[in-house]
Amino acid sequence: MELLMAILIGVLFTAAVYLILSRSILKIIIGTGLLSHGAHLLILTMGGLGGSAPPVLSDGVTDFADPLPQALILTAIVISFGVTAFILVLAYRAYAVHKTDDMNQLKGNDEHD
Amino acid sequence: MINLLLFPIILPFFFAILLLFFKEKIRTQRILTLIGVVVSLASSLVLLWTVKTEGIQAITLGSWPAPFGISMVSDMLSALLVTTTLLLTLFIVIYSFTSIGEERERYFYYPAILFMVTGVNGAFTTGDIFNMFVFFEVLLIASYILIVLGGTKKQLRESLKYILVNVISSALFVITVAYLYSVVGTLNMADISVKISEVNQPGIITVIAVLFLIVFGIKGSIFPLYFWLPGSYAAPPIPVLALFGALLTKVGIYAIMRTYTLFFIHNTGFTHEILMILSILTIIAGCIGALAYFDLKQIIIYNIVIAVGVILFGASQMNEAGMSGAVFYLIHDMLIKGALFLLIGVIIYITGTSNLRKMGGLMKTHAPLGWFYLIAAFGLAGIPPLSGFIGKLLIVQGAFEAGNIWSGIIVLASSLVVLLSVMRIFIYAFWGESKVALPKTNRKTYNRLMAPALVLVVLTIVYGIGTEWLLPFMTDATDVLLQPSIYIDAVLK
């Protein structure tokens, strides 16, 4: 199971890197989304996929899933959610001001401002 | 008062929240910010003294036993860095009163600064690797706000790149923590160090060490990863630039120093060799950039890159002289970069441009500015009575002791380049005749901008002259870095 997850995460990272290297801002943001998905799945996988019961105390269960990676993922998810919301609004503002979503045209220097 | 080490983190946080309620009342905001920073600074000074007299302060939040809760650890290095951070924030905030403009002040400028200081102080104090990630995000998100606040074309363009780079490096940080967790099964930094010693650093730990170097190298801008810094730092206004230049890259440096002296100490032949080579390349890349530009901001920005290289080079020697040199130089560099950015901010205010070719003859009209800039420039280069000397001396001594003669010579040669780059500003801006008529500036505004910059320069002079007095603090900081057992015993008591 871990091997399968590792391959899946590898595919996610590949897609993320490909999208981040593209020119359109929106594709880049989709790439960062995939990157954080990959990172979160990686925490889950690296914590070990063992354990048969969810990490909630209940009678007669001794084999819990590791609760720590789940807490880490939850933290990382809200952080990347906040940052993604910010970067989406920023991309919108940049589009409104610069009239382009092509990263190559956002080079410029002081003379172009 | 076992919670003392939390005060420099909580107080700025508390005042930042308080400030959110006074959006339109700029006067109230200024007063509250000033009170907040001064109170935090006072608490950090008490903390510094406590760490000096009673040794490392460590608590685990919620009274859990040590590896299970989140530990906060304040050793001498982090106490010194926290104090320096708050000291710099105080001057930059006072400078902002005059310089930043009401339009920005009305849109949560001061809360963003205080949130950023919360994140920086937290990252310096935490003893938990995932908590460090969270504090990194706190300071980064606040820095996103600061870099884009105002929304000029240039800021929008550059902050997009800055945020993208940091989003990617944050994802890498999470990935690295995941790998580390799967190998050692713990997140507490002292406990990680113990566990790595138990398995005696197998190959996978060395891979993780290099991953950490990449993550923190992006934050701290070491050689192949510094490409984002010159463009991004040139975009925001001067007080924000001073805050970033003095604090943000130093958090990355601190994290590298901490992980490379606490975790990865069993195969230093490989990891620290890489760190040393990269830091030398960082110095060279910074030197090329510092000489290439005729722009005030860019010259000082590339000097940040040089200093990052010098500090990490000292730390990578792993001997007493190199490490204490790195600590001396780290604190010096925070102070002097703050002072230099504030001073060039004044120059830009007077001349209305940051292009060196359009300046000249400022010595006739603004002599004190010229002399204080000269002192700061000499301090940056490391002329003996001033602040940069002792750090670089110890770093070079450490390099010679470790047998890295040529690298030591490159560090010495970089001082000449640093001196040349900052003296060029002095010669072009202050000597000669004024090429264009100066725009009409307000003398009162000029004085208000000068005051914090001058006090900061005076502080760096005191730092240079008071080396003997500061030595016991630096020795304490170095001891913890060179003997991780002190740190581990303090946390896992």
Side-chain angles (χ1 to χ4, degrees):
Chain A
M1 192 61 193
E2 272 89 351
L3 183 68
L4 208 63
M5 288 292 277
I7 292 168
L8 169 70
I9 294 161
V11 171
L12 277 174
F13 284 161
T14 316
V17 170
Y18 178 76
L19 283 171
I20 288 170
L21 292 177
S22 65
R23 283 166 34 164
S24 152
I25 295 178
L26 264 184
K27 280 188 187 165
I28 293 172
I29 297 174
I30 294 170
T32 60
L34 289 184
L35 189 65
S36 54
H37 284 336
H40 299 157
L41 282 178
L42 188 74
I43 305 181
L44 193 71
T45 315
M46 285 291 137
L49 294 171
S52 55
V56 182
L57 272 184
S58 46
D59 285 337
V61 184
T62 48
D63 188 21
F64 292 109
D66 189 350
L68 193 60
Q70 303 193 9
L72 301 188
I73 293 170
L74 203 56
T75 315
I77 285 174
V78 290
I79 289 173
S80 67
F81 180 69
V83 174
T84 307
F86 188 83
I87 198 171
L88 275 169
V89 175
L90 183 65
Y92 170 71
R93 279 292 302 160
Y95 177 73
V97 172
H98 283 276
K99 303 273 184 285
T100 176
D101 77 329
D102 186 341
M103 272 313 233
N104 277 358
Q105 307 205 344
L106 287 172
K107 280 189 282 193
N109 51 35
D110 290 341
E111 280 90 61
H112 291 98
D113 284 332
Chain B
M1 274 294 262
I2 59 161
N3 290 331
L4 181 64
L5 75 168
L6 296 178
F7 276 60
I9 306 168
I10 288 177
L11 284 173
F13 184 61
F14 171 75
F15 276 91
I17 291 171
L18 204 60
L19 282 176
L20 296 180
F21 295 101
F22 301 100
K23 180 169 179 284
E24 296 296 330
K25 300 197 178 87
I26 293 168
R27 230 187 127 71
T28 323
Q29 283 205 47
R30 288 179 180 178
I31 294 168
L32 275 177
T33 312
L34 206 55
I35 294 172
V37 176
V38 169
V39 173
S40 316
L41 182 61
S43 75
S44 78
L45 286 171
V46 176
L47 173 66
L48 189 67
W49 189 247
T50 317
V51 174
K52 179 79 197 106
T53 48
E54 293 170 21
I56 298 180
Q57 301 290 304
I59 61 163
T60 305
L61 301 180
S63 300
W64 291 86
F68 302 114
I70 290 175
S71 293
M72 300 301 265
V73 189
S74 197
D75 63 347
M76 188 45 90
L77 177 62
S78 71
L80 278 171
L81 287 171
V82 163
T83 312
T84 318
T85 300
L86 287 164
L87 198 63
L88 275 167
T89 315
L90 177 64
F91 291 111
I92 292 168
V93 160
I94 294 173
Y95 189 89
S96 305
F97 291 164
T98 329
S99 143
I100 198 73
E102 290 201 355
E103 207 41 50
R104 285 191 168 91
E105 286 178 304
R106 201 170 285 141
Y107 286 93
F108 304 112
Y109 172 74
Y110 296 117
I113 284 189
L114 290 180
F115 278 127
M116 200 179 100
V117 171
T118 310
V120 171
N121 284 348
F124 285 145
T125 314
T126 185
D128 182 288
I129 198 74
F130 193 78
N131 195 234
M132 183 182 257
F133 163 74
V134 175
F135 275 122
F136 264 93
E137 289 301 313
V138 171
L139 77 91
L140 282 174
I141 292 173
S143 79
Y144 301 159
I145 298 171
L146 285 174
I147 199 170
V148 80
L149 191 64
T152 61
K153 271 186 123 173
K154 187 176 184 185
Q155 280 180 303
L156 286 169
R157 198 178 64 215
E158 297 303 330
S159 54
L160 253 181
K161 297 166 195 169
Y162 174 76
I163 296 175
L164 274 173
V165 168
N166 279 305
V167 165
I168 293 164
S169 84
S170 298
L172 266 176
F173 198 168
V174 173
I175 292 165
T176 313
V177 170
Y179 286 143
L180 188 62
Y181 179 71
S182 77
V183 178
V184 296
T186 177
L187 294 169
N188 186 298
M189 281 158 68
D191 202 29
I192 291 173
S193 174
V194 173
K195 294 274 160 43
I196 289 178
S197 303
E198 280 169 8
V199 292
N200 203 15
Q201 193 158 349
I204 186 71
I205 292 286
T206 308
V207 173
I208 293 170
V210 175
L211 270 175
F212 266 124
L213 188 60
I214 293 172
V215 170
F216 297 137
I218 296 178
K219 316 267 188 208
S221 72
I222 63 173
F223 163 62
L225 308 166
Y226 73 99
F227 52 88
W228 58 271
L229 182 127
S232 306
Y233 277 22
I238 287 290
V240 178
L241 171 58
L243 210 57
F244 282 21
L247 303 181
L248 288 195
T249 52
K250 274 52 176 191
V251 185
I253 295 174
Y254 166 80
I256 291 178
M257 281 173 78
R258 184 60 82 199
T259 47
Y260 273 62
T261 55
L262 188 61
F263 298 173
F264 312 116
I265 44 176
H266 307 282
N267 188 9
T268 52
F270 184 72
T271 50
H272 291 58
E273 189 80 24
I274 288 184
L275 182 59
M276 191 178 84
I277 293 167
L278 287 183
S279 53
I280 289 294
L281 290 172
T282 311
I283 294 174
I284 294 171
C287 286
I288 294 171
L291 291 182
Y293 282 91
F294 261 84
D295 184 286
L296 286 179
K297 284 187 189 174
Q298 290 295 343
I299 290 172
I300 310 290
I301 286 171
Y302 274 100
N303 271 301
I304 300 176
V305 179
I306 300 175
V308 167
V310 172
I311 296 164
L312 286 178
F313 175 76
S316 71
Q317 302 306 312
M318 288 304 272
N319 55 19
E320 175 104 38
M323 197 63 84
S324 66
V327 178
F328 259 112
Y329 205 78
L330 180 56
I331 310 281
H332 144 77
D333 192 62
M334 291 169 84
L335 291 172
I336 201 86
K337 287 284 145 58
L340 272 173
F341 277 122
L342 295 189
L343 283 171
I344 65 162
V346 180
I347 300 177
I348 291 172
Y349 170 74
I350 294 168
T351 57
T353 172
S354 66
N355 188 340
L356 272 183
R357 288 204 176 87
K358 293 180 186 159
M359 299 177 186
L362 283 183
M363 200 48 123
K364 286 174 192 143
T365 49
H366 299 84
L369 176 64
W371 294 120
F372 273 95
Y373 176 80
L374 189 67
I375 293 171
F378 281 163
L380 183 71
I383 308 275
L386 298 166
S387 58
F389 172 67
I390 183 73
K392 219 168 239 174
L393 179 75
L394 287 167
I395 287 172
V396 172
Q397 187 195 338
F400 287 169
E401 277 174 16
N404 301 312
I405 309 292
W406 280 106
S407 321
I409 291 172
I410 290 178
V411 172
L412 285 175
S414 78
S415 298
L416 288 178
V417 177
V418 169
L419 186 63
L420 178 60
S421 69
V422 285
M423 281 312 286
R424 242 176 20 166
I425 297 181
F426 183 71
I427 290 169
Y428 276 87
F430 289 96
W431 285 2
E433 295 298 321
S434 183
K435 291 181 192 97
V436 281
L438 294 180
K440 192 118 182 73
T441 49
N442 189 341
R443 197 78 201 175
K444 205 169 149 196
T445 316
Y446 165 75
N447 286 337
R448 281 202 197 143
L449 289 176
M450 277 297 274
L454 294 196
V455 180
L456 208 47
V457 175
V458 171
L459 264 179
T460 67
I461 299 173
V462 173
Y463 183 84
I465 294 169
T467 306
E468 199 72 6
W469 181 72
L470 284 163
L471 200 61
F473 292 87
M474 300 300 173
T475 319
D476 281 8
T478 316
D479 284 347
V480 178
L481 288 176
L482 289 174
Q483 299 162 31
S485 56
I486 305 176
Y487 185 95
I488 295 166
D489 291 342
V491 180
L492 303 174
K493 44 192 167 229

